[in-house]
Amino acid sequence: MSDLVVRRIGRLTTWARPVVPDAALVIRDGRVEWFGPDRELNATGHLPELDAGGAAVLPGLVDCHTHAVWAGSRRDDFVGRLSGAPYSPAGIHSTVAATRAASYDELRAFAQRRVATMVRNGTTTVEVKSGYGLTVDDELKLLDVAAALQGPSVTTTYLGAHVVPRDRDRDDYVDEVVQTLPEARSRGATWCDVFCDEGAFTVDEARLILTEARAHGFGLRIHAEQMTRTGAAALAAELGCASADHLDHVSANDAAAMAAAGVVAVLVPVASLYTRSGRWDHATTLTKAGCTLAVATDCNPGTSWCESLPYAMQLACLEMGLPVETVLRAATLGGAQALRRDDIGHLGAGGRGDLVVLDAAHEADLLAHLGVNGISRTIVGGSPNG
Ligand code: NIG
Ligand code: FE
């Protein structure tokens, strides 16, 4: 955890106060100590200084849904969809085969490269799921890889319930996922997730797994209503999940139940684009119901080969029709809420010194300027990373 003074900030977004023009920000021991007009900055002794050169600064981006640990490629699925083949979770099996065949070191190198790209694109906290191992040992290997990743803050999620492996009996596999929970927890996973959809797990299976997970101290998340409406979002409300993610097929009643239960709605618009679902209206349904929104990359080889959270944010604006400020909040504060963290996603006093310096004078330009990396510096815990 470092000390840093950021000066000559053109526009500083903290979410603690309105945007501060011509601002400075002081980080001590990795925490925000002070921010305000640059001209009011008191002498800071020998703290290292960063000159933002008039650029806009935002809280570091929080990517609360990724599957960043995998080997192999799904380019054939991608090509197939261009000639009209629909997305199928069955594609997960080919990634599982490639991932099982890779060593720990290979997997770590692949994932580390992806996470470094995320940081260059502004991510300072990332959630990483297992889910491409699907044996006890392979799932634990993926959790170990996730826990070893360097750069951003990492939180890990056990997703043994991604799909039922081809060679396994359903009930036996669900039982194995449940039996693996204590070991997954001891490898540092704090979250448990289930892919609840046609071709993956049923609502009853998800309820069983997540209820057991809660008893073992996990926080809960769920892949819900992605390809079909199954009732997974209502289950998220029933169980008090921290988030329900995807939600392309969510109903107004589901959304109301989520809002009442404080379940954060995680939008993953790159997956909607990549699978060519053509569905964007769920963001409006969720907003109307009063849900807290987050936006995430869902970085994975099958439905969202994308490390850039700003790209997901741009789709949230342009395809889902969400306003700029809503999307900036969703990718920072919303992600933090989805991870039940109050020390990230904002730059109020005491918050973590995680921030991004944009390659632009105004924060809206991160969304308006397409096809470039709009981030010029990413600072994690007060230490310049990228
Ligand atoms: O979040 N929906 C489930 N899991 C991933 C896709 C996994 C894959 O196709 O490899 C997702 O979209
Ligand atoms: Fe996902």
Side-chain angles (χ1 to χ4, degrees), residues 85-147:
Y87 168 73
S88 160
I92 292 172
H93 297 293
S94 76
T95 301
V96 168
T99 303
R100 287 179 182 168
S103 69
Y104 172 89
D105 287 343
E106 287 168 332
L107 283 175
R108 194 170 70 163
F110 293 142
Q112 184 58 54
R113 185 154 174 236
R114 290 176 196 126
V115 163
T117 305
M118 291 175 184
V119 171
R120 279 199 303 281
N121 284 276
T123 295
T124 52
T125 298
V126 61
E127 181 263 11
V128 179
K129 303 177 198 297
S130 65
Y132 291 117
L134 308 188
T135 66
V136 174
D137 288 350
D138 288 300
E139 282 296 302
L140 296 175
K141 179 165 83 169
L142 265 62
L143 290 176
D144 287 345
V145 167

Side-chain angles (χ1 to χ4, degrees), residues 156-172:
T156 60
T157 298
Y158 174 53
L159 178 61
H162 201 180
V163 286
V164 178
R166 281 220 159 106
D167 54 342
R168 298 293 305 271
D169 170 78
R170 265 198 104 71
D171 291 344
D172 280 358

